Amino acid sequence: MKQTLKVSIAQINVCVGDLSGNTEKIITAIAKARDEQQASLVVFPELIITGYPPEDLLLRPRFLERVEQALQEISLITKGITAILGVPRLIDNKLYNQSVVLQNGEITATYSKHHLPNYRVFDEKRYFNAGSETCVIDVAGVKIGLLVCEDVWKEQPIQATLKSGAEVLCVINASPFRLHKTQERQTILQRQSSQNHCPIIYCNLVGGQDELIFDGQSLAYDNTGQQIFQAPIFESGVYPLNLPVKTAGQAIAPIKHSENKTIYNALVLAVRDYVQKNGFHGVILGLSGGIDSALTLAIAVDALGAENVEAVMMPFRYTADISITDARKQAETMGVKYREIPIEPMFDAFMNALSDEFDGLQRDTTEENIQARSRGILLMAMSNKLGKMLLATGNKSEMSVGYATLYGDMAGGFAPLKDVLKMRVYALSRYRNSLGEEVIPDRVITRPPSAELAPDQKDADSLPPYPVLDDILQRFIEQYECVEDIVAAGYEEETVRRVVNMVLLNEYKRRQSAPGARITKRAFGKDRRYPITSAYRKEL
Amino acid sequence: MKQTLKVSIAQINVCVGDLSGNTEKIITAIAKARDEQQASLVVFPELIITGYPPEDLLLRPRFLERVEQALQEISLITKGITAILGVPRLIDNKLYNQSVVLQNGEITATYSKHHLPNYRVFDEKRYFNAGSETCVIDVAGVKIGLLVCEDVWKEQPIQATLKSGAEVLCVINASPFRLHKTQERQTILQRQSSQNHCPIIYCNLVGGQDELIFDGQSLAYDNTGQQIFQAPIFESGVYPLNLPVKTAGQAIAPIKHSENKTIYNALVLAVRDYVQKNGFHGVILGLSGGIDSALTLAIAVDALGAENVEAVMMPFRYTADISITDARKQAETMGVKYREIPIEPMFDAFMNALSDEFDGLQRDTTEENIQARSRGILLMAMSNKLGKMLLATGNKSEMSVGYATLYGDMAGGFAPLKDVLKMRVYALSRYRNSLGEEVIPDRVITRPPSAELAPDQKDADSLPPYPVLDDILQRFIEQYECVEDIVAAGYEEETVRRVVNMVLLNEYKRRQSAPGARITKRAFGKDRRYPITSAYRKEL
């Protein structure tokens, strides 16, 4: 007889620090798994009681006490079901990142994560001690070995756990989204399950948390390396799974999502969770008639609903008529509240006030910055007065080279496109329009990009064409290529040096920028930590 | 015969990433040690070729190649002297934080740091692998054991190095300043040298690097635990030392500096290095007639000279006459360029532009923010046009509770008082005045603090008295006390809850704030990493 185990994968969306709210969600999921899905086992993600990453909250003794109370509270309702969930725990005054087993109202076993990631966005060695023991539990006669996230990427904990008698591996995760991450997970799980003839349950977190997006997509593999389960991407839910223990299962084709669809939906989730988890119901943004704000508006509407989004066009003497036409058109198509507030009077007031100070000095970017900052003040004033979060609309190409005004267009609570290069902004805009109505007017996509801060200004006047700029940036920032490498790839040395120099020089601006959603291998923020004070650009 | 070793301690100030500039400074110091001081050994701080901390520059292959080239270049000039210096090095594709010995034009020995700090401001496990070997070298017949920073705080590397035959321990450091840190270093070095009957040379970095201040104060202890040397605080130099090897030396009294003097000078160094290392010659700041901007102005003048500092008073209808009088008086006393620019026209222009949007809505902090942000734009415009860095003047008490306007008074490249609580701002102001002329008008110190953003506004209207506020903040932020602990110390529960809630709620503002100098056990920035999205305040 084929032996199967009824498992529920609780891929849920929690909020960091919301111990009582998260506890309630966990209890609800356990009840659903047991009472509706008749599961023997329900599996939750890594650090699910606290949310991931709790950062320095983990250094507060009272926080850890509350977490332990929450764990005890959850344990009480595990009659008739086994629950596995992630929680930080102090053992002999040392903190561990644990997978805890709750059965019949008690904590019956624990596993401490062996491999603590401390690279890219991860700082786990700041908080946790590494475990070294294995943990194999019995659920309905099946021996289940526990692992936490990074452990399943390494040989040592897997082999030790199998040696301890595990027939099934259960990995709890808080694995953040970035492009191509799903395939990497699938490759490692396929290999580990087939080589070790051992099924694997892989439960991942879902939801946005500051810069990070967790995509869910929990997985299961049978003991031949076949993928037999894949939970939805970016969706919270408790998913039932019949896991074959010592036999092959029914293979499913891995669900693939197009890059643009995946990124677009990732950004929608990031905006929704950042706005809502921070207690805002709506957002406001400056709509310029350009593509960045147009795409940001589309994402905001898809995330929060048109009724919760407000767009403001703030024209100036350099604003083209078509910019105003296109902004109006998009706002109308998307059904959002729309205002026009010319910035001429504010700009003039500043220039007047500064006329003595600036007497005899050349016009330069100062005057452009005053335009951007007047808009920033207007938007922040509306944000403050109406209680709507301001979204910054800049993209990664601009953030990289400093083509943005600090306290101007960089102002805002969240920057949805912060990790999206300009060419991807175009691709995402076309993707969104391909879904139905042309929500981003075609002319916004096809006209030459301009900040419209000076007469007849075009981005191409001061920056290389975006296909060139983006490739240089991607090579320098994500691939760590040096100037010589990038030149060898076919770019002019002068252009490469200029771009790289701008990237290094503008660290100070990025340090004061709003957080944004991470979608690449190297996003600005926790993922990329550069000194502001640095003379390395002299050495290039 | 007493055996002594002629050592030069090269406590120098370098810039992160400035590989060629730092190399030049190192070569100059080696020549001075050998040719002027006749030293057998010259000791440099940890990671001196790169500066500390180089952060993610360490992930760039080309950066590490250049560092290695610099090391080879330095090694060439070590004829007739031994140099010990810190450098990051790739060995078999793994990165180590090394102490490298250069002798007669060659690298003759290396030691890899055993204990990698990964707490507070430190992220060394993000970059480095831990060493496990000891390294003892011969300099003029004396066996010298190498250690790097954290290693001297632990027993294992010291005992292993002594077992390998070391007669003298040589520790290279990049140990950042904070209050009471000197005494902690002295206590550990006293203990290790006396218990192990072994002299210790302790060479520390000096200079400001973004949030960090390195105070220098290199030390030496004889084999009885007596302090025999202490280099100046906050000063760069190459200091000669005659180290007794197997006998007691001439004890000196540890040099103690008063708290206020030390902090004041730390802030002066931080401002000077941040401004100059980032290529600015001067600064600009808003002078309000209040104490924070008054103290910031004094620090700026002491750091950069009056000729490089410009103060701008931007009065509004709520600005008291005495504020203008006192600002003028201070600017005159300090001899800085001074401007007055009323913000009435800008404020009115914004309110006019927003009149439709705000129609029927109550006045609230929005209008106060417009005042602060109009000032921010003016200052940033002058900063942009004149090439002077804007200093933000907010203190730690304000930063903690969010009593500051994002993109308004929070605007700036550097925030000297970011880690200075309000009561300390008073103490530092009195300290500065005690040095001679009353550079901060006494009335600025004695009048009740006010942001002057509304009629007759006083800080005390919306915040607890500063002695209470500061103590609650210090307990919550630095000591990790919880609400109950702080209440038990004698404060009203409602007040404590309100303050703690404000601290947690305002993480989003601090995330976009300028960097500031760290002087306490827990500064905002790399030292304290909290999620923005967090519901923990609901759990208090």
Side-chain angles (χ1 to χ4, degrees):
Chain A
M1 196 191 92
K2 285 193 182 181
Q3 190 186 10
T4 61
L5 185 70
K6 284 182 87 91
V7 181
S8 290
I9 296 190
Q11 169 182 299
I12 61 174
N13 188 344
V14 298
C15 180
V16 163
D18 188 8
L19 304 181
S20 43
N22 300 348
T23 296
E24 210 177 295
K25 285 182 183 172
I26 293 166
I27 288 174
T28 305
I30 292 173
K32 180 171 186 172
R34 180 185 52 206
D35 305 335
E36 294 178 26
Q37 301 178 352
Q38 281 77 46
S40 304
L41 172 67
V42 56
V43 184
F44 290 88
E46 184 179 8
L47 297 191
I48 194 67
I49 294 181
T50 59
Y52 191 96
E55 303 190 70
D56 281 9
L57 287 172
L58 290 172
L59 303 178
R60 304 199 73 88
R62 174 54 54 97
F63 180 76
L64 296 174
E65 283 169 34
R66 294 272 161 107
V67 170
E68 195 64 26
Q69 287 165 8
L71 179 65
Q72 300 298 334
E73 189 184 335
I74 295 165
S75 73
L76 296 181
I77 68 115
T78 55
K79 303 270 194 260
I81 191 165
T82 297
I84 294 176
L85 82 181
V87 57
R89 294 185 81 207
L90 270 180
I91 311 289
D92 293 337
N93 225 21
K94 288 182 164 182
L95 192 64
Y96 295 91
N97 182 343
Q98 287 203 332
S99 179
V100 169
V101 181
L102 306 178
Q103 292 176 308
N104 294 315
E106 284 179 21
I107 297 173
T108 55
T110 63
Y111 170 85
S112 296
K113 189 175 187 175
H114 288 200
H115 290 276
L116 301 169
N118 206 69
Y119 51 82
R120 297 189 175 277
V121 299
F122 301 107
D123 284 307
E124 291 199 14
K125 290 183 181 170
R126 181 173 172 89
Y127 308 106
F128 297 114
N129 294 274
S132 56
E133 307 286 311
T134 60
C135 178
V136 177
I137 61 166
D138 186 301
V139 178
V142 180
K143 303 276 182 231
I144 297 182
L146 272 48
L147 296 172
V148 181
C149 209
E150 190 87 352
D151 291 337
V152 84
W153 298 76
K154 309 281 180 179
E155 283 306 313
Q156 168 270 323
I158 293 180
Q159 295 311 322
T161 301
L162 292 172
K163 216 169 155 184
S164 300
E167 297 166 314
V168 170
L169 295 174
C170 177
V171 200
I172 63 173
N173 305 270
S175 174
F177 170 77
R178 64 171 164 76
L179 264 182
H180 312 306
K181 184 79 190 178
T182 313
Q183 293 91 309
E184 291 176 29
R185 289 182 202 135
Q186 286 166 330
T187 302
I188 193 80
L189 294 176
Q190 193 279 330
R191 180 159 61 81
Q192 296 294 8
S193 57
S194 67
Q195 283 181 359
N196 297 304
H197 312 293
C198 177
I200 303 181
I201 303 164
Y202 180 98
C203 179
N204 194 24
L205 188 63
V206 73
Q209 170 61 30
D210 290 350
E211 302 172 353
L212 300 181
I213 305 160
F214 297 93
D215 54 319
Q217 298 200 85
S218 298
L219 300 164
Y221 284 75
D222 72 9
N223 70 355
T224 70
Q226 294 186 121
Q227 187 182 318
I228 57 169
F229 174 79
Q230 182 169 352
I233 186 168
F234 304 131
E235 272 179 41
S236 173
V238 182
Y239 302 98
L241 159 72
N242 253 331
L243 185 79
V245 178
K246 291 180 177 165
T247 53
Q250 183 68 44
I252 59 158
I255 302 159
K256 292 205 197 306
H257 305 276
S258 83
E259 276 193 10
N260 289 322
K261 179 181 177 184
T262 306
I263 295 173
Y264 189 88
N265 289 335
L267 298 176
V268 167
L269 175 64
V271 169
R272 182 188 303 132
D273 274 10
Y274 191 84
V275 170
Q276 294 181 349
K277 289 181 181 179
N278 281 294
F280 288 80
H281 295 289
V283 296
I284 187 168
L285 57 84
L287 195 61
S288 69
I291 191 155
D292 299 315
S293 58
L295 178 62
T296 305
L297 177 60
I299 291 167
V301 168
D302 289 337
L304 304 164
E307 68 281 12
N308 294 313
V309 179
E310 184 162 347
V312 189
M313 174 19 125
M314 292 163 289
F316 189 56
R317 62 191 76 144
Y318 309 129
T319 307
D321 290 342
I322 59 168
S323 298
I324 300 178
T325 312
D326 291 346
R328 282 180 194 160
K329 187 174 165 193
Q330 190 189 7
E332 197 180 339
T333 311
M334 302 218 79
V336 299
K337 192 168 172 186
Y338 173 80
R339 287 271 176 280
E340 282 174 16
I341 307 180
I343 60 165
E344 212 85 32
M346 284 71 83
F347 180 83
D348 291 344
F350 281 113
M351 291 308 294
N352 257 332
L354 290 162
S355 58
D356 280 358
E357 198 69 34
F358 287 4
D359 188 40
L361 300 174
Q362 290 284 318
R363 273 183 96 83
D364 55 17
T365 52
T366 305
E367 288 76 11
E368 303 187 12
N369 288 337
I370 291 175
Q371 297 164 51
R373 291 185 178 126
S374 294
R375 294 186 175 115
I377 291 196
L378 285 170
L379 290 167
M380 283 302 294
M382 292 171 72
S383 167
N384 291 162
K385 188 67 92 184
L386 309 172
K388 296 186 178 184
M389 184 184 289
L390 173 60
L391 294 182
T393 59
N395 62 59
K396 188 177 192 178
S397 308
E398 295 175 356
M399 280 301 105
S400 300
V401 296
Y403 202 74
T405 300
L406 197 54
Y407 322 133
D409 52 310
M410 286 178 66
F414 196 69
L417 306 183
K418 188 176 180 185
D419 198 30
V420 183
L421 288 169
K422 187 77 171 189
M423 295 309 294
R424 179 71 74 181
V425 171
Y426 284 108
L428 294 176
S429 300
R430 289 198 196 92
Y431 161 76
R432 182 60 184 83
N433 276 356
S434 78
L435 296 184
E437 201 176 2
E438 186 182 286
V439 294
I440 298 171
D442 189 57
R443 189 164 60 185
V444 172
I445 300 178
T446 53
R447 64 186 285 209
S450 165
E452 297 195 329
L453 293 167
D456 297 321
Q457 190 179 40
K458 299 279 174 292
D459 291 8
D461 300 340
S462 47
L463 293 175
Y466 279 114
V468 171
L469 178 64
D470 284 3
D471 193 43
I472 295 174
L473 292 173
Q474 197 272 340
R475 287 170 182 275
F476 182 71
I477 295 167
E478 293 180 32
Q479 308 302 334
Y480 295 128
E481 291 188 12
C482 63
V483 169
E484 288 83 348
D485 297 337
I486 303 173
V487 170
Y491 296 106
E492 281 178 17
E493 182 168 339
E494 196 206 318
T495 305
V496 175
R497 285 192 186 281
R498 194 161 62 89
V499 169
V500 163
N501 192 60
M502 286 192 283
V503 173
L504 292 172
L505 190 62
N506 283 290
E507 194 55 38
Y508 76 99
K509 281 194 191 176
R510 290 188 292 268
R511 198 66 72 88
Q512 294 189 40
S513 63
R518 173 182 186 255
I519 61 161
T520 71
K521 275 172 73 174
R522 197 58 76 172
F524 296 127
K526 284 173 66 173
D527 202 356
R528 183 181 180 279
R529 307 178 190 182
Y530 271 64
I532 299 176
T533 305
S534 163
Y536 185 52
R537 61 184 186 282
K538 292 197 321 188
E539 309 288 323
L540 292 170
Chain B
M1 195 191 91
K2 284 193 182 182
Q3 188 187 10
T4 62
L5 184 69
K6 284 182 86 93
V7 181
S8 290
I9 296 190
Q11 169 182 299
I12 63 174
N13 188 343
V14 297
C15 180
V16 162
D18 188 9
L19 304 182
S20 43
N22 300 348
T23 297
E24 209 176 296
K25 285 182 182 170
I26 292 166
I27 288 175
T28 305
I30 291 174
K32 180 171 186 173
R34 180 186 52 205
D35 305 336
E36 294 177 26
Q37 300 178 352
Q38 282 77 46
S40 304
L41 171 67
V42 56
V43 184
F44 291 88
E46 185 180 8
L47 296 191
I48 193 68
I49 295 181
T50 59
Y52 192 97
E55 302 190 73
D56 281 10
L57 288 171
L58 291 172
L59 303 179
R60 304 199 72 88
R62 175 53 55 97
F63 180 76
L64 296 174
E65 283 170 33
R66 294 272 161 108
V67 170
E68 195 63 27
Q69 287 165 9
L71 180 64
Q72 299 299 334
E73 190 185 335
I74 295 164
S75 73
L76 296 180
I77 67 115
T78 54
K79 304 270 193 256
I81 191 166
T82 296
I84 294 176
L85 82 181
V87 56
R89 295 185 80 207
L90 270 181
I91 310 290
D92 294 336
N93 225 19
K94 288 181 164 185
L95 192 64
Y96 295 92
N97 182 344
Q98 287 202 332
S99 179
V100 169
V101 181
L102 306 178
Q103 291 176 309
N104 294 314
E106 282 178 23
I107 298 174
T108 56
T110 62
Y111 171 84
S112 296
K113 189 174 187 176
H114 288 200
H115 289 277
L116 302 169
N118 206 69
Y119 51 82
R120 297 190 175 278
V121 299
F122 301 107
D123 283 306
E124 291 200 15
K125 290 184 182 171
R126 181 174 172 87
Y127 308 106
F128 297 114
N129 294 275
S132 56
E133 307 286 311
T134 60
C135 178
V136 177
I137 61 167
D138 186 301
V139 178
V142 180
K143 302 276 181 230
I144 298 182
L146 272 48
L147 296 172
V148 181
C149 209
E150 191 87 352
D151 292 335
V152 84
W153 297 76
K154 308 284 178 176
E155 284 305 313
Q156 168 270 323
I158 292 179
Q159 295 312 320
T161 301
L162 293 171
K163 217 170 153 183
S164 300
E167 298 166 313
V168 171
L169 295 174
C170 177
V171 201
I172 62 173
N173 305 271
S175 174
F177 169 77
R178 63 173 165 75
L179 265 181
H180 312 307
K181 183 79 191 179
T182 313
Q183 294 90 309
E184 291 175 30
R185 290 182 202 134
Q186 286 167 328
T187 302
I188 192 82
L189 294 175
Q190 194 278 330
R191 180 159 61 82
Q192 295 294 10
S193 57
S194 68
Q195 283 182 0
N196 297 303
H197 313 294
C198 176
I200 303 180
I201 303 163
Y202 181 97
C203 178
N204 194 23
L205 187 64
V206 73
Q209 170 62 30
D210 290 351
E211 302 172 353
L212 301 181
I213 305 161
F214 297 93
D215 54 319
Q217 298 200 86
S218 298
L219 300 164
Y221 283 75
D222 71 9
N223 70 355
T224 69
Q226 292 185 120
Q227 187 182 317
I228 57 169
F229 173 79
Q230 183 168 352
I233 187 169
F234 305 132
E235 272 180 43
S236 173
V238 181
Y239 302 98
L241 159 72
N242 254 329
L243 185 80
V245 178
K246 291 180 177 166
T247 53
Q250 183 69 45
I252 60 159
I255 303 159
K256 291 205 198 306
H257 305 276
S258 83
E259 275 193 11
N260 290 323
K261 178 180 177 184
T262 306
I263 294 174
Y264 189 88
N265 289 334
L267 298 177
V268 167
L269 175 63
V271 169
R272 182 188 302 133
D273 274 9
Y274 191 84
V275 170
Q276 293 182 348
K277 290 182 182 179
N278 281 294
F280 289 80
H281 295 290
V283 296
I284 186 168
L285 57 84
L287 195 61
S288 68
I291 190 153
D292 299 314
S293 58
L295 178 61
T296 305
L297 177 60
I299 291 167
V301 167
D302 289 337
L304 304 164
E307 67 282 12
N308 294 312
V309 179
E310 184 163 347
V312 189
M313 177 11 130
M314 292 163 289
F316 189 57
R317 61 191 75 143
Y318 308 130
T319 307
D321 291 342
I322 59 167
S323 297
I324 301 178
T325 313
D326 291 346
R328 281 181 194 161
K329 186 173 166 194
Q330 189 189 8
E332 196 179 342
T333 311
M334 302 218 79
V336 300
K337 192 167 171 188
Y338 172 80
R339 288 271 176 281
E340 283 175 15
I341 306 180
I343 60 165
E344 212 84 33
M346 284 71 84
F347 179 83
D348 291 344
F350 281 113
M351 291 308 293
N352 256 331
L354 290 162
S355 58
D356 279 358
E357 197 69 35
F358 288 5
D359 188 41
L361 300 174
Q362 290 284 318
R363 273 183 96 84
D364 55 19
T365 52
T366 304
E367 288 76 12
E368 302 187 12
N369 288 337
I370 291 175
Q371 297 164 51
R373 291 186 179 127
S374 295
R375 294 186 174 114
I377 290 196
L378 286 170
L379 290 167
M380 282 303 294
M382 292 172 71
S383 167
N384 291 162
K385 188 67 93 186
L386 309 172
K388 296 185 178 183
M389 185 185 288
L390 173 60
L391 295 183
T393 59
N395 62 58
K396 188 177 191 177
S397 308
E398 294 175 355
M399 281 300 105
S400 299
V401 296
Y403 202 73
T405 299
L406 197 55
Y407 321 134
D409 52 311
M410 286 177 67
F414 197 70
L417 306 183
K418 188 176 180 184
D419 199 30
V420 183
L421 288 169
K422 187 78 170 188
M423 295 310 291
R424 178 71 73 179
V425 170
Y426 284 108
L428 294 176
S429 300
R430 289 198 196 90
Y431 161 76
R432 182 61 184 82
N433 277 355
S434 78
L435 298 183
E437 200 177 4
E438 186 182 287
V439 295
I440 298 171
D442 189 56
R443 188 164 62 184
V444 173
I445 301 178
T446 53
R447 66 185 285 208
S450 165
E452 296 194 328
L453 293 167
D456 297 321
Q457 191 179 41
K458 298 278 175 292
D459 292 7
D461 300 340
S462 46
L463 292 175
Y466 279 113
V468 171
L469 178 64
D470 284 2
D471 193 42
I472 294 174
L473 292 173
Q474 198 270 340
R475 288 169 182 275
F476 182 71
I477 295 167
E478 294 180 32
Q479 309 301 335
Y480 296 128
E481 290 187 13
C482 63
V483 169
E484 289 82 350
D485 297 336
I486 303 172
V487 170
Y491 297 107
E492 280 179 17
E493 181 169 339
E494 195 205 318
T495 304
V496 175
R497 286 193 184 278
R498 195 161 61 89
V499 169
V500 163
N501 190 60
M502 286 192 283
V503 173
L504 293 173
L505 189 62
N506 282 289
E507 193 55 38
Y508 76 100
K509 281 193 190 176
R510 290 188 291 266
R511 197 67 70 87
Q512 293 189 41
S513 62
R518 173 181 186 256
I519 61 161
T520 71
K521 275 174 72 175
R522 198 57 76 171
F524 295 127
K526 284 174 66 171
D527 202 357
R528 184 181 180 280
R529 308 178 189 182
Y530 271 63
I532 298 176
T533 305
S534 163
Y536 185 52
R537 61 184 189 280
K538 293 196 322 189
E539 310 288 321
L540 293 168

